[in-house]
Amino acid sequence: MRIPLSLLALSASLLCTPAAMALSEFGIEGMGVVSTKANEAQATIAADGQRIVWASDRPGGKGGWDLWQAVLREGRWQDPAPLALNSANDERDPYFSHDGRWLYFASDRSGGKGGFDLYRAPVTADGTIEAVQALPALNTRDDERAPALRPDGRTLLFSRNGRQTQGGFDLYLAPVQGEGFGTAQVLPAPLNTAAAELGAAWLDNDGALAFTRASDGHSQVLLASCDHRQAAVPLMLSFNTADGQTGAPVVDASKPSEMVLAGMARAPRAGGLDLYRIKAPSAPRGTGCG
């Protein structure tokens, strides 16, 4: 029996809500609003659950990749619009701090130290995003990407490439010191490898991570315990395969039991890279973990 197109459209529209976990494994995030025919990358949700910010190459922004925001109304993401902080270059990797004070991101805008640099912007109580600040203690002539502040606000995780890395991007940690940051330290092997480790989510305050590993045009999300010297294991998700494109996991700060990531599932699908909501994985156990 053929299913009428009207019913298919209705089914797709039901997946526009943040509660699209009705599917057994995953649900697309904001069909037609957040996930569109364009490519959508990393998404982050404010701690109050009222705003989502993500990276997209859709038309209507200032550069190739821009940061976009939608607001929650009647249980659905609505009113997508580019952020005023966008430049003529690329803005990627948005991340709301769990205390709601900051929106972190990466950009190759003019005036940086070289390539992509890390930035943050204060967020007011009413959700207004204020003037952008560079993070000079962490930015270098190399590329810095994917900033992610630990839930307790004490450590910043990010990726850096360059001659000092094992290959491509490696993951680094920098302690928060007042309103600034201390010296960044690279995480050990085998967490960092000859592939590119880029884009990670904190699964707890002990150091367990879900992160992206990319190589030869493919990317996959892996899980690591707080003991970063143990081998990481792939996230169990149908389209998170070694020959696919999955990445940019971010735990929903307003619903810590859920995570949003980018990928290319067979269905539901809106375009190229789409954003999907899944149940957040449990932190792998490791030696010395709390």
Side-chain angles (χ1 to χ4, degrees), residues 16-284:
C16 292
T17 71
M21 291 300 293
L23 296 179
S24 59
E25 185 183 34
F26 59 87
I28 199 165
E29 190 76 4
M31 177 75 84
V33 176
V34 179
S35 297
T36 67
K37 292 181 179 180
N39 290 300
E40 274 72 43
Q42 181 166 316
T44 182
I45 297 167
D48 63 6
Q50 300 303 299
R51 285 160 291 124
I52 182 171
V53 172
W54 71 98
S56 178
D57 65 357
R58 68 183 68 187
K62 293 181 180 179
W65 284 86
D66 290 299
L67 300 185
W68 288 69
Q69 178 174 263
V71 296
L72 188 68
R73 187 179 302 113
E74 298 176 350
R76 298 174 59 165
W77 296 126
Q78 298 188 43
D79 303 329
L83 294 182
L85 59 74
N86 290 320
S87 71
N89 291 68
D90 289 336
E91 278 71 40
R92 303 288 299 263
D93 313 331
Y95 191 92
F96 277 118
S97 62
H98 282 230
D99 62 7
R101 293 183 57 206
W102 301 99
L103 175 66
Y104 288 81
F105 66 98
S107 176
D108 62 349
R109 61 181 58 202
S110 62
K113 288 190 175 181
F116 276 88
D117 287 323
L118 302 182
Y119 297 86
R120 67 181 181 183
V123 182
T124 65
D126 65 0
T128 300
I129 298 173
E130 298 188 323
V132 170
Q133 306 172 8
L135 305 185
L138 303 180
N139 293 329
T140 66
R141 293 182 179 179
D142 297 319
D143 291 310
E144 282 78 32
R145 291 280 307 273
L149 196 64
R150 202 166 72 182
D152 64 8
R154 298 178 62 180
T155 305
L156 186 76
L157 175 74
F158 67 96
S159 295
R160 175 184 287 158
N161 68 5
R163 290 176 296 176
Q164 305 301 317
T165 63
Q166 294 192 51
F169 283 90
D170 282 349
L171 295 173
Y172 284 73
L173 294 177
V176 174
Q177 296 181 349
E179 291 296 314
F181 299 91
T183 302
Q185 300 292 331
V186 67
L187 289 174
L191 187 65
N192 286 317
T193 66
E197 282 70 39
L198 177 64
W202 296 91
L203 298 179
D204 56 27
N205 284 319
D206 294 323
L209 305 172
F211 68 96
T212 307
R213 179 172 288 159
S215 180
D216 298 326
H218 303 292
S219 58
Q220 190 175 25
V221 174
L222 293 96
L223 306 178
S225 74
C226 72
D227 182 356
H228 298 146
R229 290 177 173 79
Q230 294 186 7
V233 297
L235 170 69
M236 298 302 293
L237 185 66
S238 62
F239 56 90
N240 185 44
T241 58
D243 59 353
Q245 285 187 301
T246 312
V250 178
V251 172
D252 183 344
S254 69
K255 297 180 180 178
S257 64
E258 298 178 9
M259 171 185 286
V260 178
L261 49 72
M264 291 184 174
R266 291 185 178 181
R269 188 168 179 180
L273 276 174
D274 293 318
L275 295 168
Y276 294 93
R277 179 174 291 265
I278 67 170
K279 181 179 178 181
S282 299

